[in-house]
Amino acid sequence: RHSREIIAAGHFRRARTSPRRIRRWMRAARRLLGRLAFSTPPRALPDSSPLVNGVAPSVAPSIVRRRHSRSTSYVGEPMSADETARPAPPAPEDASPETKLTSWDFFRSMGSPKFHVAPMVDQSELAFRELCRRHGATCAYTPMIHARLFVEDLKYRKEIFTTHINDRPLLVQFCANDPDMLLKAASIVAPHCDGVDINFGCPQRIAKRGRYGAFLMDDWETVHNLINKLDEHLSVPVTAKIRVYDDLETSLKYAKMVEAAGAQLIAVHGRTREQKRAADVRANWAFIREIKKQLKVPVLANGDIRTLAEAEKCLEATGADGVLSAEPLLENPSLFSDPPLYSPSDPADPLPVEGDVNCELLHEYLEITRTYQTPLRMVKGHVHNMVGSWLKEFTDLRDWLNKTPHSEMTVDKLQAWTRELQGRVNLVKRNEGRVRPIPKKSERQLAREAAEAAKAAAVEEQEREENAVAALDAKKQKTNHASAAPDTPPAVDEAVAN
């Protein structure tokens, strides 16, 4: 009886102090639960099947002991009273290319979300998506996933894609150039998401080498084949994220081709492939507005969304059905919060976030990572994005973060580190009235600058010495030349000589 109570409660660690027989039963039960969790096909999950940490068994990274309420793996947000007309997608076991929702029915089935967490490599993972959802985001993309690696590398698959029963609406984004490989990857995640997105917007060098992302803008046939393959054979809708061209006519033709290929929702980044840095050029909202007018499927706008006010302004200017935010959301995960968590002193320059607001958000994020196991490189990336501006002033805290071995870094230590940072930020505000940092140079920077200055001084001294020696040599050579010249008679006036 005692062992059954332990198993039912999920308190596996108690078995260590239990009698030998109970420990043996516990090991057997644990092995049985493990086999059940990882052997059940995702499409065969009944509505009452338990999920591992709320994660679909086929993609669960590991068996965890935290329990969640049972539910089907295809549950979105609860339907509110004013959403009675919201279309219901087919259950995963019944979903097929013929029964899946399309276009506006698909968009409404997700609740017509306006505020989206954009796909970001190694940054829009489950824990961060959860943080953003708590603060106003109504839909989220996974990080960009390499389709071939996802299919062939199990370790990569378990690390890059985790989800939860409440992680909805969710769009899983892949990059690929092989339609068949893309379909294999998308089929794995289809039962655990609302739709599969294809990345046609990544402008980075790695995308050029891999021939995917924005570098498929030169190969419309491949773009069409990738979308059409999923549209015809995948059990959930396919969406696409694209960029604009330099001219409106080509941008419109491209967007219409993507729609005709089968994309049921299109996110448009208002910058070209060459415009990589958001700080260098403003997003072209006018192009997005024209694309929205021409297409029949829902359109999302991307670019220059740093605050909720700018998001609303973009929706009004473009007529888009929603907006995405990427880098600004990394700096301010509460960007979509209504009302905002804080009001910047200068609305034209809202980033970095002022005061200790992001310290509180970082505490919340770290607490979430206790529930959802997250790779440390992703956690550190978010730490730098959220509070990195203050680390330019408190360089000792930055050095600890950068130099501490991963094996010694824990959530408890990171939270203690965050409390120390928050205390310093509040002290600066109380004593100096500042809510923004003043960057200081670290000892390493000072040493490097001192070494560079010493090197420059040595080079300058060497040049002066060389110039002085060259001047002496020139003077000596001139003197020698004058003393070696033969004596010549004085010139005689030609008129006198005549």
Side-chain angles (χ1 to χ4, degrees):
R1 180 176 175 275
H2 180 60
S3 63
R4 286 197 300 271
E5 291 175 353
I6 293 175
I7 294 173
H11 298 161
F12 299 116
R13 292 184 180 177
R14 293 183 186 175
R16 296 177 182 173
T17 59
S18 302
R20 182 181 303 173
R21 181 184 302 175
I22 295 178
R23 289 201 299 270
R24 189 163 59 248
W25 290 349
M26 297 301 295
R27 286 195 296 269
R30 195 158 52 241
R31 287 195 298 269
L32 176 60
L33 289 174
R35 286 196 295 270
L36 289 175
F38 287 101
S39 62
T40 306
R43 292 183 185 274
L45 281 174
D47 288 348
S48 59
S49 296
L51 301 183
V52 180
N53 196 23
V55 182
S58 63
V59 294
S62 61
I63 299 178
V64 293
R65 301 180 176 91
R66 191 178 301 271
R67 296 189 303 154
H68 291 275
S69 59
R70 297 186 176 193
S71 177
T72 176
S73 62
Y74 202 83
V75 173
E77 295 181 352
M79 185 180 296
S80 59
D82 58 348
E83 289 181 314
T84 54
R86 179 170 167 175
E93 60 270 19
D94 300 325
S96 68
E98 293 75 26
T99 62
K100 65 184 177 183
L101 299 177
T102 59
S103 188
W104 288 100
D105 283 342
F106 162 59
F107 190 62
R108 285 191 290 267
S109 75
M110 296 192 294
S112 303
K114 288 201 304 182
F115 304 124
H116 299 245
V117 179
M120 294 169 280
V121 177
D122 274 357
Q123 296 288 269
S124 55
E125 84 289 352
L126 176 58
F128 186 72
R129 297 196 300 267
E130 171 68 18
L131 178 67
C132 294
R133 291 183 194 275
R134 292 183 182 183
H135 295 280
T138 51
C139 186
Y141 290 72
T142 66
M144 183 184 74
I145 302 172
H146 192 288
R148 182 182 174 187
L149 288 176
F150 191 78
V151 171
E152 299 179 354
D153 190 335
L154 183 60
K155 181 180 178 182
Y156 173 83
R157 183 191 308 175
K158 289 182 177 181
E159 180 181 279
I160 199 67
F161 178 61
T162 55
T163 188
H164 183 268
I165 55 176
N166 295 324
D167 186 28
R168 291 299 181 86
L170 178 66
L171 300 177
V172 180
Q173 188 186 74
F174 287 100
C175 64
N177 55 34
D178 181 350
D180 293 327
M181 185 63 70
L182 176 61
L183 179 60
K184 290 180 182 178
S187 298
I188 297 173
V189 303
H192 316 298
C193 64
D194 294 273
V196 170
D197 186 77
I198 308 176
N199 184 312
F200 297 118
C202 181
Q204 303 304 322
R205 184 181 304 175
I206 189 173
K208 184 176 183 179
R209 289 201 303 266
R211 202 172 73 82
Y212 58 79
F215 294 93
L216 290 178
M217 295 172 71
D218 300 326
D219 187 356
W220 287 24
E221 181 180 0
T222 298
V223 171
H224 177 278
N225 292 341
L226 289 168
I227 299 172
N228 190 250
K229 188 75 171 183
L230 296 193
D231 182 51
E232 292 184 352
H233 300 283
L234 196 63
S235 60
V236 295
V238 56
T239 69
K241 188 171 185 294
I242 65 174
R243 283 180 175 255
V244 298
Y245 290 80
D246 290 319
D247 64 290
L248 178 59
E249 182 180 0
T250 306
S251 300
L252 288 172
K253 288 181 179 179
Y254 182 59
K256 289 181 179 179
M257 181 274 293
V258 169
E259 179 186 43
Q264 306 304 317
L265 179 149
I266 299 176
V268 184
H269 193 133
R271 294 185 178 87
T272 67
R273 183 173 64 194
E274 289 71 30
Q275 296 169 340
K276 301 178 183 180
R277 288 178 52 82
D280 295 341
V281 62
R282 299 286 292 176
N284 195 331
W285 287 358
F287 276 25
I288 299 177
R289 181 178 64 249
E290 293 305 315
I291 291 173
K292 167 60 184 173
K293 290 179 180 179
Q294 296 289 329
L295 298 189
K296 298 178 181 179
V297 299
V299 173
L300 307 179
N302 186 201
D304 295 339
I305 309 297
R306 301 175 300 170
T307 63
L308 181 63
E310 290 182 346
E312 297 289 359
K313 182 179 179 181
C314 178
L315 289 171
E316 182 180 358
T318 62
D321 305 291
V323 294
L324 288 81
S325 183
E327 292 183 7
L329 197 62
L330 293 176
E331 291 190 60
N332 180 15
S334 67
L335 188 154
F336 294 129
S337 180
D338 188 13
L341 288 189
Y342 93 108
S343 298
S345 55
D346 181 6
D349 185 24
L351 298 175
V353 176
E354 299 171 350
D356 70 338
V357 175
N358 270 7
C359 292
E360 292 290 345
L361 289 172
L362 182 55
H363 274 300
E364 187 175 357
Y365 171 75
L366 292 172
E367 277 300 318
I368 295 173
T369 62
R370 292 182 185 275
T371 302
Y372 307 127
Q373 189 176 17
T374 307
L376 187 57
R377 71 175 189 280
M378 297 183 186
V379 175
K380 290 180 67 174
H382 287 301
V383 172
H384 280 288
N385 284 319
M386 287 191 217
V387 298
S389 60
W390 284 105
L391 299 186
K392 295 177 182 178
E393 178 169 344
F394 304 119
T395 56
D396 59 318
L397 295 180
R398 181 181 61 192
D399 291 341
W400 180 89
L401 186 66
N402 292 336
K403 295 178 181 179
T404 302
H406 284 195
S407 59
E408 299 178 10
M409 194 172 291
T410 64
V411 174
D412 289 334
K413 289 184 178 180
L414 283 171
Q415 288 195 314
W417 178 91
T418 305
R419 286 192 293 271
E420 171 66 22
L421 173 62
Q422 187 172 13
R424 296 190 191 186
V425 171
N426 289 329
L427 190 63
V428 166
K429 181 179 179 180
R430 184 166 60 250
N431 294 343
E432 304 177 31
R434 282 194 293 116
V435 291
R436 290 204 173 190
I438 298 177
K440 294 180 180 178
K441 296 176 182 178
S442 65
E443 293 182 2
R444 181 184 300 179
Q445 285 178 303
L446 293 173
R448 183 168 60 247
E449 290 180 2
E452 292 174 353
K455 182 179 179 180
V459 170
E460 184 179 355
E461 177 62 26
Q462 183 177 350
E463 289 177 351
R464 283 199 300 268
E465 182 178 310
E466 290 175 351
N467 291 335
V469 171
L472 288 175
D473 290 341
K475 184 177 181 180
K476 184 176 181 180
Q477 186 177 4
K478 184 176 180 180
T479 302
N480 293 339
H481 179 73
S483 60
D487 294 336
T488 55
V492 179
D493 185 273
E494 185 177 352
V496 173
N498 292 336

